[in-house]
Amino acid sequence: MTELRRDFHDRMAHVHRKLGSVVTSVAASVESVTEFLTGAGDVPAVVDDASVDAAYAWLEEEIFDLVALQAPVGRDLRFLTASLRIGQAIERAGDLVSSIAFRSELLRPYASTPILSPTIRGLGTGGAGMLRGAASAYAVLDASLAEEVAARDDDIDELHRALVRTVYGMEGLALEPAVELGLVGRFYERIGDHAVVIAERVRFIATSEMNPGDSDESEGWSAEEEDGP
């Protein structure tokens, strides 16, 4: 029995390390694609979306197996169920980064201009920072660090609104780049939302308390809108 429990905790530790690494890698991708979009980088080093998808598929199978075989309770059960939700959130965030990268060549001439680049850079820095903060909170399962991440969500929301106001107030901007820039702003805002979901699940692991307003399915946004380019 002792050997079985040791194996269980070793596998949980592997889940913990691997998922934290994926969150950190997606955060780095947000930074890279933002640098390219705003003219500060040559080639966006975006994490391979397929690798993030594969990591989530592994995570789902591993967690289901651990729950079925070990019947965890208490904090262990909270950790596994919350980690599954965190995996889903970061997989969706990875989709959003890929969607930004897909549009980056088209939008770079506009996004790198003085009128737009500060706001887009702020969105990228803010989204990446929230993901890194969520990864740090998850690494040590610290509720106070998680709350700091959630507190930054309003900043991303305001930057998104500022970008939309600026884009649709620009004279002579063609319809296609205007619409695509608006979408990119929304993608950054959603990345921040996913960071909040991760942070709230960390808070749940640490305290067993769930914020009923932390769902990223609010405001009529569906998962399908994040799957394509």
Side-chain angles (χ1 to χ4, degrees):
M1 180 64 70
T2 301
E3 188 64 32
L4 286 174
R5 296 304 293 175
R6 184 180 299 114
D7 178 67
F8 170 62
H9 286 290
D10 286 347
R11 290 173 69 182
M12 284 218 308
H14 184 48
V15 165
H16 200 172
R17 289 191 301 271
K18 185 166 184 174
L19 184 53
S21 176
V22 173
V23 177
T24 300
S25 68
V26 173
S29 292
V30 175
E31 293 171 334
S32 178
V33 76
T34 303
E35 288 182 0
F36 178 79
L37 195 58
T38 57
D42 294 329
V43 179
V46 179
V47 67
D48 179 22
D49 189 48
S51 69
V52 177
D53 293 344
Y56 176 65
W58 171 86
L59 178 75
E60 187 176 53
E61 183 176 352
E62 182 72 354
I63 287 177
F64 286 169
D65 192 49
L66 288 171
V67 170
L69 293 177
Q70 298 290 339
V73 296
R75 185 181 169 101
D76 287 347
L77 181 59
R78 293 201 307 273
F79 171 80
L80 290 171
T81 57
S83 292
L84 185 61
R85 185 64 187 86
I86 290 169
Q88 184 183 56
I90 199 60
E91 189 271 336
R92 291 181 177 180
D95 288 341
L96 291 165
V97 179
S98 294
S99 293
I100 296 171
F102 178 80
R103 292 163 169 83
S104 61
E105 289 282 358
L106 169 67
L107 296 182
R108 188 178 189 185
Y110 309 96
S112 59
T113 60
I115 192 171
L116 292 180
S117 62
T119 306
I120 293 174
R121 194 172 294 117
L123 282 164
T125 300
M130 289 177 70
L131 284 176
R132 289 191 185 280
S136 296
Y138 180 67
V140 293
L141 302 179
D142 188 301
S144 62
L145 290 178
E147 289 169 2
E148 291 176 9
V149 173
R152 297 170 61 182
D153 192 43
D154 287 345
D155 296 336
I156 295 290
D157 292 344
E158 179 51 40
L159 284 167
H160 172 231
R161 288 190 290 268
L163 179 66
V164 171
R165 287 194 300 267
T166 302
V167 166
Y168 292 111
M170 292 173 65
E171 294 185 6
L173 182 62
L175 180 60
E176 182 181 7
V179 170
E180 294 293 343
L181 284 164
L183 281 173
V184 163
R186 177 60 166 157
F187 295 158
Y188 277 118
E189 189 267 340
R190 290 297 296 157
I191 288 169
D193 287 345
H194 288 311
V196 172
V197 169
I198 295 170
E200 287 292 350
R201 290 323 189 268
V202 170
R203 181 173 177 269
F204 170 65
I205 297 168
T207 68
S208 78
E209 296 176 0
M210 179 71 75
N211 178 1
D214 77 342
S215 174
D216 65 337
E217 305 304 330
S218 61
E219 301 181 7
W221 185 266
S222 67
E224 286 77 10
E225 292 177 87
E226 295 176 357
D227 289 341

